[in-house]
Amino acid sequence: MPKWTEKLKFHYCLPIQRSIWRFIMNCGEVLIVEDDEFTQIYFQKTLSNVFTEFVFSKSIEESICLLDVKKFEAIILDLNLSDGKGAMIIEHLESTYTGINFNTPLVVTSGNIDNKFLRLYSHRVTQSLSKPIAKQDIINIFDKILRKEIIC
C-alpha cells in the first residue's frame, strides 16, 4: 500500500475512533461551572475527545436551574465563583435526593481546597483538583469516572 493511502487511512479512521470511544463510554454532556472563560476553554479542549457537548455556567443560580432540568454525565465545579461559594451547588444536589443529577459524578476544582471542605463534602465529591490543573490529571480522572472505577 502506498504511503499516501496509509496517511489517508489514519486521518479517516481517527474521527471514527473518537466517535466509537464516545459511544462505548456513553459520554454525553458535561456541566462546567466556572466563572473564568479561560478555564472553561481549557476544560473543553482537554475533554473534547471524551464528551460530546459542553454546557457552561458562570453563576450559582444558573447552575441550579440547569441541574434541575437537564441530566449531565458529569459536573465540574469551581468552588470560588464570583457570586458565591460553589458549595451551595453541592448542598442543592444533596437536598434533591430524587433529582436527575443526584448521582452525577462531581469533580471540584479550586485554588484552595481545605480539610474542612473535604470533611463536609467528601461523601458527595467524586474527586477534587487543586489549581493549576494538569491536562493529564483531568483525563485520568474522567477516564476512571467513565469506566466506573470511581463510585459516585
Side-chain angles (χ1 to χ4, degrees):
M1 184 181 289
K3 290 189 180 218
W4 66 270
T5 54
E6 289 175 9
K7 288 181 182 178
L8 179 64
K9 182 179 176 185
F10 173 76
H11 290 292
Y12 177 74
C13 292
L14 191 60
I16 294 171
Q17 289 170 347
R18 286 182 183 160
S19 63
I20 290 171
W21 171 258
R22 288 178 181 161
F23 176 76
I24 291 170
M25 298 306 286
N26 194 21
C27 302
E29 290 182 313
V30 61
L31 174 62
I32 300 174
V33 183
E34 172 66 60
D35 53 356
D36 180 41
E37 290 182 24
F38 176 78
T39 308
Q40 288 179 346
I41 293 168
Y42 180 76
F43 281 123
Q44 182 179 14
K45 287 185 177 184
T46 303
L47 296 170
S48 63
N49 290 336
V50 179
F51 291 100
T52 54
E53 293 183 38
F54 298 86
V55 177
F56 300 101
S57 175
K58 292 184 176 188
S59 71
I60 293 170
E61 184 179 347
E62 181 184 13
S63 302
I64 289 173
C65 290
L66 286 167
L67 289 167
D68 287 343
V69 297
K70 195 171 200 170
K71 172 69 177 147
F72 295 98
E73 294 297 319
I75 303 166
I76 300 173
L77 173 63
D78 182 20
L79 290 180
N80 299 319
L81 298 169
S82 57
D83 64 339
K85 297 288 182 186
M88 293 172 64
I89 295 171
I90 298 171
E91 290 168 1
H92 175 75
L93 286 171
E94 287 183 337
S95 68
T96 57
Y97 295 112
T98 58
I100 56 177
N101 288 296
F102 179 71
N103 290 323
T104 302
L106 178 64
V107 176
V108 172
T109 65
S110 180
N112 53 352
I113 298 175
D114 61 356
N115 290 334
K116 181 181 176 185
F117 172 83
L118 293 175
R119 279 193 308 272
L120 288 172
Y121 299 108
S122 63
H123 64 282
R124 182 61 188 96
V125 174
T126 308
Q127 190 73 36
S128 59
L129 293 170
S130 295
K131 293 180 180 178
I133 305 166
K135 286 183 180 183
Q136 196 57 47
D137 290 343
I138 299 168
I139 293 167
N140 291 343
I141 286 170
F142 279 97
D143 185 46
K144 288 179 183 178
I145 289 171
L146 295 172
R147 290 179 190 268
K148 310 294 189 228
E149 292 176 15
I150 297 178
I151 299 172
C152 306

